[in-house]
Amino acid sequence: MSKRPSFPVELSIVVPLLNEAESLPELTRWIHRVLTQHGLTYEVILVDDGSTDTSWEVIEELAETDTHLRGIRFNRNYGKSAALNVGFKETSGRVVCTMDADLQDSPEELPELYRMITEQGYDLVSGWKKKRFDPLSKTIPTKLFNGVTRWISGIQLHDFNCGLKAYDHRVVRSIEVYGEMHRYIPVIAKWAGFRKIGEKVVQHQERKYGTTKFGLERFVYGFLDLMSITFVSRFRRRPMHFFGTMGMISFVLGMLITLWLVSEKVYLSFHNLEARNVTDQPLFFLALTAVMIGAMLFLTGFLAELIQLNGANRNDYLVRDKVNLT
């Protein structure tokens, strides 16, 4: 039996943030109080996603007196997925949790999330904000978004986009989060082979400082991202299976139509019946188009295979500063 690896801390907490200077002192004090009471060793990795307020100065000030804090500062705003991806790479805990910096996620949930990973054996536990303090313009699209995601992914979660989640350390070491894919980390984890995914009802706090950084357009982008991650997850390693299948169907259909038209022409001519020229029939040009599309899809599949073998790194971000990190 292999020896269980040791970890510098039991819990790593990754907090992406954008212009949250007011909430950071209260959030870090709250995390410290809860985890100290439960006797958990921890680290907090604050990822400043290009804030234009004094968030970074606050992080530097807090890190001077709190050795649990780590800080990463992007040179510009890259988005939440980039912040999470970079933060995951710096974690050293047995369990990794994520939460938002706006105080709407309660640190009181962290010990139970940690227990569900370590004692119940979950790979990932997602928070469910069953009672939300959001306007209808946000809650109704959220329910629709979650319903469609459940249907497509087969993962029975009520709240895919909840920022409060817990992961076994193997998950964050194995997945890649890019673009706007942070909404679909459970889907990415499932396709990576981590199938024990659970859910926990969590407390949702009213926003205390500032305003939300997300608009309704995120739901439009969300559905597009869902289609993208579904395709990439299934065919990333074998794009020819998708494009080749579509190409074969189109090519064969076009050839069958062409053969039928030619056969009809030969049959009618053999029996001295009036027959139109094959090239005079619109169906012939539809068949020709289908054959050409099929050939192009085959070519697309071959090119996608080559790109997959030589793909560039999608996650190069310019980090401007770090605190308590090498």
Side-chain angles (χ1 to χ4, degrees):
M1 187 172 73
S2 60
K3 184 179 179 181
R4 189 181 187 87
S6 59
F7 299 90
V9 294
E10 294 169 298
L11 181 60
S12 294
I13 306 160
V14 179
V15 183
L17 62 104
L18 176 65
N19 298 332
E20 298 287 358
E22 293 176 302
S23 64
L24 289 175
E26 184 174 342
L27 175 65
T28 54
R29 289 194 302 267
W30 194 358
I31 291 173
H32 177 75
R33 184 178 72 252
V34 171
L35 297 184
T36 301
Q37 288 174 352
H38 286 81
L40 291 172
T41 59
Y42 73 96
E43 63 181 356
V44 179
I45 300 173
L46 301 167
V47 186
D48 183 352
D49 186 24
S51 295
T52 55
D53 65 356
T54 60
S55 291
W56 182 249
E57 288 75 12
V58 172
I59 292 172
E60 289 183 311
E61 183 178 343
L62 293 171
E64 289 180 358
T65 57
D66 189 345
T67 57
H68 297 96
L69 300 185
R70 319 276 186 262
I72 300 173
R73 182 189 188 188
F74 284 167
N75 198 53
R76 67 170 178 84
N77 177 248
Y78 287 105
K80 189 173 183 178
S81 293
L84 289 174
N85 197 73
V86 171
F88 285 161
K89 291 179 180 179
E90 299 291 350
T91 59
S92 59
R94 162 71 177 83
V95 174
V96 177
C97 286
T98 59
M99 63 187 306
D100 294 335
D102 55 12
L103 298 175
Q104 290 190 282
D105 293 336
S106 172
E108 304 289 345
E109 310 287 353
L110 295 174
E112 178 61 17
L113 290 171
Y114 175 84
R115 190 192 67 79
M116 293 178 72
I117 297 291
T118 56
E119 297 182 16
Q120 297 184 21
Y122 284 102
D123 296 315
L124 185 157
V125 179
S126 181
W128 173 19
K129 297 174 181 176
K130 194 171 184 179
K131 181 180 180 182
R132 303 182 67 100
F133 294 93
D134 290 323
L136 288 177
S137 61
K138 187 175 179 180
T139 55
I140 293 177
T142 295
K143 289 182 180 295
L144 177 62
F145 162 79
N146 287 316
V148 172
T149 306
R150 279 195 301 274
W151 174 61
I152 293 178
S153 68
I155 302 173
Q156 299 305 308
L157 295 179
H158 290 86
D159 192 355
F160 283 84
N161 200 34
C162 179
L164 191 57
K165 289 182 173 67
Y167 310 83
D168 185 279
H169 70 283
R170 296 171 301 165
V171 176
V172 301
R173 296 299 185 198
S174 304
I175 65 173
E176 183 183 26
V177 189
Y178 59 93
E180 293 296 322
M181 298 302 182
H182 60 272
R183 303 179 182 92
Y184 301 109
I185 292 181
V187 182
I188 297 172
K190 178 184 175 182
W191 284 108
F194 299 99
R195 297 187 175 273
K196 191 167 184 182
I197 298 173
E199 186 172 56
K200 180 186 184 301
V201 176
V202 297
Q203 185 179 2
H204 186 217
Q205 310 283 123
E206 291 190 65
R207 174 176 276 276
K208 191 171 183 179
Y209 304 105
T211 57
T212 181
K213 310 301 187 299
F214 303 101
L216 291 177
E217 70 277 359
R218 67 177 180 152
F219 297 107
V220 177
Y221 300 151
F223 288 118
L224 297 175
D225 291 335
L226 178 58
M227 289 188 289
S228 176
I229 193 60
T230 301
F231 174 82
V232 170
S233 298
R234 292 182 178 177
F235 300 105
R236 179 181 182 183
R237 299 297 180 187
R238 42 191 172 89
M240 190 59 182
H241 287 196
F242 175 80
F243 292 107
T245 300
M246 296 296 102
M248 183 183 300
I249 293 172
S250 181
F251 187 87
V252 170
L253 181 62
M255 290 301 297
L256 288 175
I257 294 174
T258 302
L259 289 173
W260 183 78
L261 292 173
V262 172
S263 299
E264 182 187 43
K265 171 70 174 178
V266 171
Y267 175 83
L268 293 174
S269 298
F270 182 78
H271 290 85
N272 296 316
L273 299 173
E274 184 179 355
R276 297 171 61 187
N277 290 330
V278 172
T279 55
D280 288 340
Q281 301 187 52
L283 194 57
F284 169 75
F285 293 99
L286 290 176
L288 183 62
T289 301
V291 170
M292 293 174 62
I293 290 175
M296 287 188 290
L297 285 171
F298 269 115
L299 180 60
T300 301
F302 284 122
L303 291 175
E305 290 282 348
L306 293 175
I307 293 171
Q308 189 274 324
L309 291 172
N310 300 280
N313 192 334
R314 287 186 299 265
N315 277 304
D316 287 332
Y317 307 111
L318 180 59
V319 174
R320 182 172 176 178
D321 295 299
K322 291 186 178 183
V323 171
N324 292 342
L325 288 168
T326 56

